């Protein structure tokens, strides 16, 4: 504290160099010695004593030693020499006041404050300023006759008065400085790691500089070194997303007592807390609980509840008591409250795992309930881990992405958000009350640190102590990229995940078969591709085998596939690209990115058309009257929602508005994008029954769920992964030759329109011969611009 530091110069009050040599006649019977003053001062300050063993003074008694030792420790005294303290020497009033003033004064008082004393002219010029300061601080009051009598020896009674005034002023300064204590608190955050733990791309089977918590860990160490007052949080989607996640969940399945590699990595880095993302629920609650129970940090979530009891399923929040050091070097304990939320949509996305087991409150509603509880529990700072995108500045109840609305909540001091795999600061420039430079939304420091370990979120909060409460007075948010020259991944993280990483490499390198044709997804959103064809063929093969000898075996089957890796979330490397030749497990994960399981749903021909209408919601609406460039892909669409139904042929008219929005809700009842739907070369029979082969995600929480009957009598979910069906299919065939059958296309675009789209710039080398696709030129971040003729 400033006050405590300044009083260090009061050392000379006790040291009083030059105050010795007083004659016995000058000293009153009740005069005060240096030793007396030390004892009285230390007692009044109320500090804890040691045993006196550390002092070097040879003239200090055993009884006095603890007091002198504490005075030295507080930098109050230095002694006459290294081994001499002279505890029996006397103090004059001049030196007592001079040094007291030096110990307390933070600014010089005007000299004329001494005019109240009749003998002030006798004070030597070298002491006048200090005596003026003592008078201004009301330590020096003078005698009744108006004199200072500065040469007199200090008596016991005077000492008590001086010490009393000194301590009162000292405490005033300490309280004032305590009130003004300032602390810089740093909040670090990661999000959407998706088991990218090592600096390795399992799909390319090689080291990578652009992914991996091992790389992010280096940034974490740097940020911690810059400010030791820090906490580290993870924002979810940690345990799924790469072959390593699949390996631990489905191949070398996590056993009781075994530490999941993602948890091991977070333990190694000393995370303070983490929340749950939607993908944490992909493998079921039993698996999730097994993952969580070895964490050395707290898991928090405030909006998932037990379906039977209504109680919180997880800890709704944690209060972390963190010792911090203020700008003056003094220590304090700050209580940081942290909570988290997940989208309500998990109930649909993972219905097979969650139905009847948990309920999910609306995130904003849940936070409005839990924040007062955190405040009542003593939280000085409240951090929200929002596994929800920032979304829109227009609030709509039930929105998946509500990060913006969270920043509007009273009591929220900082937000770490994610889920959308975007970056903030950086993205979301068009929202209201966004300060990109400062990294705030509605004044609240906010970060969204990309995905796969690409960035570290850094929030810096400024706190001041007002009375006995800490107040956040300012804050900033920034993200730091791992994409820099010379960054060395963390050996500690690599060691923590070594066994799982090596097991994953062995797993992904297992031979499956061969492909006679290359497989890529560069154009999967604008034309039929082999990458989708292999999915739909394998699913059909699997279901035909499953239904042999049943009545359903005679149903016409339509197999649904989507371009799972199609530059999603603004990532130009996120495409499937497998050359002709040998196929291994790693290629299967590249073709089918998610750990879904096979499902079938019985629908009518009319339902098939509506299904396709919903899938066509990924496209923007092309205005036939415009001649300037128009992007055919809705920038907010997700490629995995674009189902291609093999088994029927059809056309898509993008000059028509979308009938359904991205969630399968009716947007325009009169709209009609899907044209000329045929089955077996004839217009589809709207009443005929079909079996759509799909995945559990589509029929669980995506738009396909709308075709499932309330009693689920038309739904079958198989305990077999779609990816494993592809593996089994290729092993059975040995060599495959996937070719696009072009069962869908766009209705011809109006003359003079210029319809464009983006894909990876390298796709220019993969344009199919005779295609209507034309390369225009490079775009940003590794993408290229292409035109559809």
């Amino acid at each position: 504290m400033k006050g405590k530091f300044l009083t260090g110069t009061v050392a000379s009050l006790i040291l009083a160099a030059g105050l010795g040599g007083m004659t016995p006649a000058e000293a009153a019977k009740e005069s005060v010695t240096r030793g007396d003053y030390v004892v009285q001062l230390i007692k009044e300050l109320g500090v804890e004593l040691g045993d006196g063993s550390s002092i070097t003074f040879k003239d200090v008694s055993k009884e006095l030693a603890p007091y002198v030792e504490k005075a030295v420790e507080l930098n109050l005294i230095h002694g006459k020499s290294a081994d001499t303290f002279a505890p029996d020497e006397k103090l004059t009033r001049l030196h007592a006041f001079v040094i007291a003033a030096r110990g307390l004064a933070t600014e010089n008082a005007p000299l004329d404050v001494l005019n109240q004393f009749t003998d002030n002219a006798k004070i030597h010029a070298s002491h006048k300023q200090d005596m003026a300061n003592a008078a201004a601080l009301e330590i020096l009051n003078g005698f009744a006759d108006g004199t200072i009598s500065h040469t007199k020896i200090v008596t016991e009674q005077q000492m008590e008065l001086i010490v009393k005034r000194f301590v009162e002023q000292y405490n005033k300064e300490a309280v004032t400085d305590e009130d003004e204590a300032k602390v810089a608190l740093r909040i670090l955050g990661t999000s959407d790691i998706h088991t990218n733990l090592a600096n390795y791309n399992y799909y390319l089977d090689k080291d990578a500089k652009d992914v991996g918590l091992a790389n992010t860990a280096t940034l974490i160490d740097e940020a911690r070194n810059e400010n030791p007052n820090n906490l580290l949080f993870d924002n979810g989607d940690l345990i799924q997303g790469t072959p390593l996640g699949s390996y631990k969940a489905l191949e070398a399945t996590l056993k009781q007592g075994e530490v999941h590699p993602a948890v091991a990595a977070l333990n190694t880095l000393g995370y303070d807390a983490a929340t749950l993302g939607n993908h944490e629920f992909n493998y079921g609650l039993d698996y999730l609980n097994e993952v969580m129970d070895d964490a050395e940090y707290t898991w928090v979530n405030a909006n998932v509840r037990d379906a039977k009891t209504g109680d919180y399923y997880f800890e709704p929040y944690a209060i972390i008591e963190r010792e911090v050091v203020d700008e003056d070097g003094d220590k304090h304990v700050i209580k940081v409250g942290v909570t988290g939320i997940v989208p309500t949509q998990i109930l649909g996305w993972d219905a097979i795992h969650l139905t009847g087991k948990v309920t999910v409150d609306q995130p904003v509603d849940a936070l409005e309930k839990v924040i007062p509880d955190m405040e009542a529990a003593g939280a000085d700072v409240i951090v929200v881990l929002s596994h929800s995108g920032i979304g829109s500045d227009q609030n709509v109840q039930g929105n998946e992405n509500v990060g913006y609305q969270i920043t509007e909540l009273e009591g929220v001091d900082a937000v770490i958000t994610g889920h959308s795999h975007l970056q903030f600061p950086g993205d979301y420039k068009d929202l209201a009350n966004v300060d990109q430079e400062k990294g705030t939304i509605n004044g609240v420091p906010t970060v969204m640190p990309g995905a796969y370990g690409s960035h570290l979120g850094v929030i810096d909060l400024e706190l001041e102590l007002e009375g006995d409460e800490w107040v956040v007075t300012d804050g900033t948010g920034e993200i730091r990229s791992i994409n820099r020259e010379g960054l060395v991944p963390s050996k500690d993280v690599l060691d923590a995940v070594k066994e799982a990483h090596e097991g994953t490499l062995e797993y992904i390198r297992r031979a499956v078969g061969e492909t006679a044709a290359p497989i890529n997804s560069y154009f999967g959103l604008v034309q039929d591709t082999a990458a989708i064809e292999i999915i739909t063929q394998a699913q059909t093969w699997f279901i035909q085998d499953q239904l042999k000898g049943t009545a359903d075996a005679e149903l016409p089957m339509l197999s649904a596939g989507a371009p799972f890796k199609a530059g999603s979330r603004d990532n130009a490397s996120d495409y499937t690209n497998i050359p002709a030749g040998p196929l291994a497990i790693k290629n299967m994960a590249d073709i089918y990115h998610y750990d879904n399981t096979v499902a079938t749903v019985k629908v009518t021909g009319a339902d098939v058309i509506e299904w396709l209408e919903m899938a066509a919601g990924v496209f923007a609406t092309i205005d036939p009257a415009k001649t300037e460039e128009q992007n055919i892909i809705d920038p907010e669409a997700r490629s995995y929602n674009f189902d291609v139904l093999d088994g029927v042929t059809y056309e898509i008219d993008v000059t028509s508005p979308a009938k359904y929005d991205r969630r399968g809700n009716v947007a325009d009842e009169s709209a009609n994008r899907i044209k000329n739907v045929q089955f077996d070369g004839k217009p589809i029979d709207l009443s005929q029954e079909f079996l759509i082969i799909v995945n559990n995600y589509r029929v669980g929480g995506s738009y396909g769920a709308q075709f499932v009957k309330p009693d689920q009598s038309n739904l079958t979910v198989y305990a077999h992964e779609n990816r494993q069906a592809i593996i089994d299919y290729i092993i059975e065939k040995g060599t495959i030759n996937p070719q696009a059958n072009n069962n869908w296309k766009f209705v011809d675009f109006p003359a003079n329109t210029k319809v464009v789209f983006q894909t990876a710039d390298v796709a220019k080398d993969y344009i199919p011969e005779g295609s209507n696709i034309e390369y225009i030129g490079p775009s940003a971040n590794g993408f290229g611009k292409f035109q559809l003729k």
Side-chain angles (χ1 to χ4, degrees), residues 407-644:
T407 66
E408 295 179 310
L409 294 177
E410 184 176 352
V412 174
D413 296 305
V415 176
I416 299 172
T417 182
H419 183 57
S420 298
H421 293 202
L422 299 176
Q423 299 166 21
F424 184 83
D427 294 310
Y428 303 100
K429 293 182 174 67
D430 297 331
L431 301 185
N433 299 321
V434 168
D435 188 331
Q436 291 282 346
E437 184 174 345
K438 198 172 182 181
T440 63
I441 301 176
N442 294 308
V444 176
T446 303
V447 292
M448 181 185 282
Y452 314 143
S454 65
H455 292 77
L456 173 68
V458 180
I459 291 175
D460 286 313
L461 301 178
E462 294 180 13
L463 282 72
E464 289 189 15
L465 191 61
E466 296 182 0
D468 59 355
E469 292 187 359
W470 287 99
V471 177
V472 177
T473 59
D474 201 2
T476 60
E478 65 167 311
I479 54 174
R480 300 180 180 182
S481 174
I482 64 173
N483 187 17
R484 77 177 197 210
E485 196 65 34
L487 187 141
V488 178
S490 165
K491 183 178 183 301
D492 290 340
V493 172
L494 293 176
D495 287 345
V497 304
K498 184 174 185 292
E499 183 178 348
H501 174 64
E502 291 178 349
T504 302
L505 294 181
E506 182 181 347
Y507 167 64
I508 66 171
R509 290 168 180 168
R510 293 178 195 167
V512 174
E514 292 194 359
T515 176
I519 303 170
N520 71 70
S521 63
Y522 291 126
F523 305 110
L525 285 170
V526 295
Q527 65 177 25
D528 197 21
T529 66
I532 295 176
E533 206 68 38
I534 182 61
I535 294 171
T536 57
Q537 288 175 358
Q539 290 174 168
T540 301
W541 171 84
F542 172 77
I543 291 299
Q544 285 174 338
D545 183 66
Q546 293 292 310
L547 296 182
K548 280 180 182 176
T550 71
D552 287 344
E554 303 304 316
L555 286 174
M557 298 181 187
L558 310 180
S559 189
F564 296 115
K565 296 185 69 179
S568 60
R569 312 293 173 93
D570 203 26
N571 183 354
S573 65
D574 190 27
Y575 290 89
T576 301
N577 186 18
I578 303 169
L583 291 172
I585 297 289
K586 63 185 177 184
N587 304 124
M588 303 303 100
D590 207 14
I591 292 170
Y592 205 103
H593 189 54
Y594 299 100
D595 298 327
N596 299 137
T597 56
V598 180
T600 61
V601 58
K602 294 178 186 176
V603 298
T604 65
D607 292 332
V608 170
I609 294 175
E610 295 308 302
W611 191 297
L612 294 172
E613 287 282 2
M614 292 180 183
V618 302
F619 299 114
T621 301
I622 299 299
D623 185 343
K626 289 185 178 179
T627 57
E628 62 267 27
E629 289 183 354
Q630 299 181 69
N631 196 328
I632 195 171
I633 308 298
D634 179 348
E636 294 299 317
R638 299 289 175 251
S639 64
Y640 54 71
N641 281 330
F642 178 53
D643 273 353
V644 171

Side-chain angles (χ1 to χ4, degrees), residues 143-460:
F143 291 103
D145 62 1
T147 64
I148 299 173
S149 300
H150 60 287
T151 60
K152 286 188 176 181
I153 299 298
V154 176
T155 68
E156 183 176 345
Q157 183 181 15
Q158 291 166 356
M159 176 190 72
E160 290 176 356
L161 286 172
I162 293 171
V163 169
K164 179 182 178 182
R165 295 169 190 160
F166 176 82
V167 171
E168 285 176 354
Q169 195 64 34
Y170 173 88
N171 288 337
K172 257 189 214 176
E173 289 290 321
V175 170
T176 300
D177 280 345
E178 188 73 18
D179 287 345
E180 295 176 353
K182 295 181 179 180
V183 167
L185 182 66
R186 173 163 284 183
I187 308 294
L188 305 175
T190 53
S191 188
D192 298 275
I193 297 296
H194 285 287
T195 61
N196 285 277
L197 306 174
N199 54 317
Y200 204 84
N201 186 319
Y202 293 105
Y203 305 110
L204 299 179
D205 200 4
K206 66 179 184 179
D207 288 341
K209 294 181 178 180
D210 58 348
V211 300
L213 184 60
N215 283 328
T216 326
T218 300
L219 303 186
I220 292 171
D221 286 343
E222 293 172 355
R224 280 172 161 168
N225 289 335
E226 292 167 5
N227 184 352
N229 301 331
N230 61 71
L231 295 99
L232 177 60
F233 301 127
D234 183 73
N235 193 46
D237 274 8
L238 176 69
I239 67 172
Q240 175 277 344
T242 68
L244 184 148
S246 304
Y247 172 71
K248 289 311 301 176
L250 306 169
E251 180 71 13
T253 306
L254 192 70
K255 298 179 176 62
Q256 186 174 359
E258 179 186 358
V259 182
H260 190 283
V263 171
L266 267 61
N267 287 344
T268 296
L269 290 172
Y271 274 72
D272 294 289
T275 195
L276 304 156
N278 52 294
H279 286 289
E280 261 66 67
F281 299 91
N282 287 170
Y283 305 119
L285 291 170
D286 289 342
Y287 182 81
L288 177 57
N289 290 331
E290 182 58 44
V291 169
M292 293 172 63
D293 65 12
D294 295 301
E296 296 169 5
Y297 49 88
T298 303
W299 296 90
V300 292
N301 173 276
N303 72 321
V304 176
R305 293 181 179 270
D306 188 298
K308 293 180 180 178
T309 67
D311 296 334
Y312 289 114
Y313 195 88
F314 307 100
E315 291 295 325
Y317 64 87
I319 303 293
I320 301 169
E321 296 190 2
R322 182 55 43 91
E323 185 177 81
V324 296
V325 179
D326 69 17
E327 62 182 7
D328 293 320
D330 290 314
K331 295 180 179 179
H332 310 268
V333 173
I334 290 180
K335 295 181 178 180
V336 179
V338 59
T339 186
I341 56 89
V342 71
T344 59
Q345 285 78 5
I346 63 170
L347 288 177
W349 296 335
D350 281 299
I352 191 172
H353 298 305
L354 303 181
T355 300
K357 298 177 181 178
V358 298
T359 61
V360 186
D361 298 336
Q362 291 295 331
V364 174
D365 295 343
L367 291 172
E368 287 179 330
K369 292 176 183 176
V370 80
I371 288 172
D373 294 340
M374 298 168 72
E375 293 173 334
D380 299 307
V381 176
I382 291 179
V383 180
V384 176
L385 307 180
S386 168
H387 196 84
S388 172
I390 290 172
S392 167
D393 49 16
Q394 303 300 311
N395 187 23
V396 177
Q397 184 74 354
N399 270 1
E400 175 185 343
N401 298 310
V402 293
Y404 186 94
Q405 284 68 44
I406 290 171
T407 66
E408 295 179 310
L409 294 177
E410 184 176 352
V412 174
D413 296 305
V415 176
I416 299 172
T417 182
H419 183 57
S420 298
H421 293 202
L422 299 176
Q423 299 166 21
F424 184 83
D427 294 310
Y428 303 100
K429 293 182 174 67
D430 297 331
L431 301 185
N433 299 321
V434 168
D435 188 331
Q436 291 282 346
E437 184 174 345
K438 198 172 182 181
T440 63
I441 301 176
N442 294 308
V444 176
T446 303
V447 292
M448 181 185 282
Y452 314 143
S454 65
H455 292 77
L456 173 68
V458 180
I459 291 175
D460 286 313

